[in-house]
């Protein structure tokens, strides 16, 4: 198996609420949608974020309903602290709950967290050591 991720699927309570947040609020483009069932958003080269009705996900993938906050964070890295502030403001305007205001971190970066309508945590960060070359190789 190659070290590669092609889809990140999040089980959501309401595909419509997720659509309102990600598509209407954050202006992310829809790649494909089956109304009320699943919404695909291409988020990077060869990478799709799938917002999947949690009941259908549980039935197909054999998962259990989550209890509390989902134990995963998704990160969105940016080129400056100012961009972090801007994206956090955009997320809040789209209806996100800001769970940690952006602050300078001990490791030298600047980051904050918001929760989407299902509680999934997004880290919005500026990391001065983060780089991606033309081949897609990451340096941290």
């Amino acid at each position: 198996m190659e070290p590669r991720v092609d889809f990140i699927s999040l089980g959501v309570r309401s595909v419509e609420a997720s659509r309102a947040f990600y598509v209407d609020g954050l202006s992310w483009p829809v790649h494909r949608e089956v109304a009320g069932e699943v919404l695909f958003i291409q988020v990077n080269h060869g990478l799709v974020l799938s917002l999947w009705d949690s009941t259908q996900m549980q039935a197909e993938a054999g998962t259990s309903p989550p209890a509390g906050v989902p134990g995963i964070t998704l990160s969105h890295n940016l080129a400056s602290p100012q961009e972090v502030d801007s994206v956090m403001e955009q997320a809040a305007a789209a209806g996100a709950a800001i769970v940690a205001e952006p602050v300078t971190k001990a490791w030298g970066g600047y980051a904050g967290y918001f929760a989407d309508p299902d509680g999934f945590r997004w880290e919005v960060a500026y990391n001065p050591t983060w780089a991606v070359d033309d081949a897609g190789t990451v340096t941290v």
Side-chain angles (χ1 to χ4, degrees), residues 13-100:
R13 292 183 300 261
S14 168
V15 174
E16 292 81 9
S18 291
R19 186 184 211 295
F21 179 74
Y22 287 99
V23 177
D24 301 335
L26 297 181
S27 301
W28 288 13
V30 174
H31 178 71
R32 183 165 187 265
E33 181 174 9
V34 179
E37 293 181 24
V38 67
L39 174 66
F40 298 126
I41 300 169
Q42 186 162 352
V43 293
N44 209 335
H45 180 84
L47 180 60
V48 171
L49 176 64
S50 169
L51 303 166
W52 192 5
D53 174 79
S54 62
T55 304
Q56 292 182 3
M57 180 184 206
Q58 291 161 17
E60 184 172 317
T63 62
S64 299
V69 175
I72 184 172
T73 62
L74 303 166
S75 295
H76 185 75
N77 290 344
L78 296 161
S80 72
Q82 295 78 18
E83 289 181 54
V84 171
D85 290 338
S86 179
V87 168
M88 292 292 287
E89 290 168 8
Q90 182 185 14
I98 304 303
V99 295

